[in-house]
Amino acid sequence: MGDTSGDTVWLFDLDNTLHDASHAIFPAINRLMTAYVARVLGSDEATASRVRVDYWQRYGATLLGMIRHHQVDPADFLRAAHDFPELADMVRVRRGLVAGLSRLPGRKILVTNAPRDYALAVMAVAGIDRCFERVVAIEDMWVHGHLRPKPDRRMLRRLLAQIGVAPHRVVLVEDTVSHLKHYAAMGIRTAWVTGFLRTLAPSRPHVVPAQAGAARDAATRSMLAAEDRQHVGHTAQERSVTLVAAESQDPSAVPVNDGAGGESNAHTAATAPQMQPDHTPRVRARVVNRPGYVDIKVQLMHQLLRQKRRIGS
Ligand SMILES: [Mg+2]
């Protein structure tokens, strides 16, 4: 073809990069995670939601809190949170995805913080299961006994060593800006996919209006505070890890125009009640800025092909 860009290695995120996960999948993951936490705690869902918000704010992911405070098996948690008998009806892709991926020259690897079975199932439904030479899922992200999902740099350095490629030849294609930011600092080029972003990530843990759980919450909080005092040494390490794709959609890091002249922030997103789809349609984020660590910004995959020369591919 006369194209010399075949040396580029594209690392593709899955959820909200190659398909629209905000539409049905993330809300379902959210419900499944809350139900799982409620089962482990033996609590109602409102209490489980509040515990999730607490863990999410402190550790960056519900799972990390569940591992630390409840000795939850990560594989079991992730399997339960990604169990969708109706997945085929939930995956939404844009027309031309397969063609767009096929036309893109270079090696392509899928890297997702989601479990492998889920990723393979989504890829099959989306028709992109033959577009990638390798799938790196959460199960592949253990480094020296610790789970190190995106945006961990040790995990990615190991992957690049395994596939024999230098960072400057890699382009990470992602919707989550915190991942792009972490990896840009390693010398990796970045493509930010904005087409599936929403102003409020529906998968985020959210506060359910309080019922009778206030006393139990206070007890939970004091129990957590006591455990915290025993685990201070681990906190910094765990804070550096962002876990579970559905929870790492961080609107606080995305410069969006929220219509009020300000930017959404973590506090707002984490404490806002979940929007009711029947009377408040989800609003698509209008992304107004391109952060310095983003090399190219595209709405959808087919624009990637058009813009790839801008980053020297
Ligand atoms: Mg994503």
Side-chain angles (χ1 to χ4, degrees):
M1 307 279 285
D3 197 326
T4 59
S5 56
D7 287 336
T8 300
V9 177
W10 302 89
L11 302 183
F12 281 91
D13 174 48
L14 178 64
D15 290 328
N16 274 0
T17 295
L18 296 171
H19 73 109
D20 182 359
S22 295
H23 149 66
I25 292 178
F26 281 177
I29 290 174
N30 194 33
R31 285 192 297 273
L32 291 169
M33 280 191 187
T34 301
Y36 189 100
V37 171
R39 273 200 305 281
V40 172
L41 267 53
S43 73
D44 58 25
E45 301 223 335
T47 304
S49 277
R50 284 191 290 275
V51 170
R52 281 193 59 197
V53 169
D54 185 50
Y55 289 162
W56 183 83
Q57 287 173 337
R58 292 202 287 160
Y59 309 124
T62 300
L63 175 54
L64 288 177
M66 294 305 288
I67 293 172
R68 181 154 143 186
H69 299 291
H70 308 280
Q71 293 75 48
V72 155
D73 171 20
D76 187 59
F77 177 92
L78 289 164
R79 211 177 309 117
H82 290 79
D83 178 26
F84 306 121
E86 335 250 86
L87 187 68
D89 298 327
M90 300 167 81
V91 174
R92 266 192 189 176
V93 293
R94 296 293 168 87
R95 210 185 298 273
L97 174 64
V98 177
L101 282 171
S102 306
R103 280 199 300 267
L104 204 59
R107 298 170 65 186
K108 287 154 217 142
I109 295 171
L110 192 118
V111 184
T112 176
N113 283 0
R116 171 169 299 272
D117 288 348
Y118 162 82
L120 296 179
V122 170
M123 292 166 74
V125 173
I128 55 173
D129 40 338
R130 307 180 75 150
C131 295
F132 300 90
E133 70 174 51
R134 180 196 286 232
V135 174
V136 179
I138 188 83
E139 294 91 335
D140 307 308
M141 295 177 175
W142 290 91
V143 182
H144 301 311
H146 292 273
L147 200 48
R148 303 290 189 194
K150 291 186 287 186
D152 188 83
R153 291 182 188 147
R154 285 156 291 199
M155 181 275 292
L156 202 73
R157 263 189 227 108
R158 185 182 65 180
L159 173 63
L160 298 192
Q162 284 169 354
I163 61 177
V165 65
H168 70 271
R169 283 176 47 206
V170 174
V171 182
L172 175 65
V173 186
E174 265 267 7
D175 63 297
T176 303
V177 287
S178 59
H179 298 178
L180 297 172
K181 186 178 183 182
H182 266 81
Y183 290 136
M186 281 174 61
I188 284 173
R189 288 170 293 166
T190 57
W192 185 23
V193 180
T194 64
F196 300 120
L197 295 175
R198 303 292 204 281
T199 49
L200 182 67
S203 59
R204 278 199 163 189
H206 57 279
V207 172
V208 171
Q211 290 160 355
R216 205 162 21 194
D217 282 357
T220 304
R221 242 187 290 280
S222 79
M223 178 268 289
L224 292 174
E227 290 190 22
D228 248 4
R229 286 191 287 276
Q230 298 168 4
H231 288 280
V232 170
H234 296 165
T235 303
Q237 177 196 355
E238 291 187 353
R239 275 192 195 287
S240 71
V241 180
T242 307
L243 207 51
V244 184
E247 286 194 297
S248 61
Q249 313 295 313
D250 184 357
S252 68
V254 181
V256 296
N257 183 342
D258 64 5
E263 291 186 358
S264 58
N265 58 57
H267 178 75
T268 305
T271 56
Q274 192 175 43
M275 284 195 259
Q276 299 300 309
D278 48 345
H279 57 80
T280 311
R282 283 199 210 99
V283 183
R284 189 174 299 286
R286 282 195 293 133
V287 179
V288 293
N289 295 322
R290 179 168 67 88
Y293 48 84
V294 169
D295 293 302
I296 62 177
K297 188 175 90 175
V298 294
Q299 280 255 313
L300 298 165
M301 278 314 110
H302 63 268
Q303 297 165 321
L304 200 55
L305 182 63
R306 228 180 290 149
Q307 294 220 25
K308 71 185 176 63
R309 284 188 180 81
R310 284 198 42 227
I311 58 169
S313 290

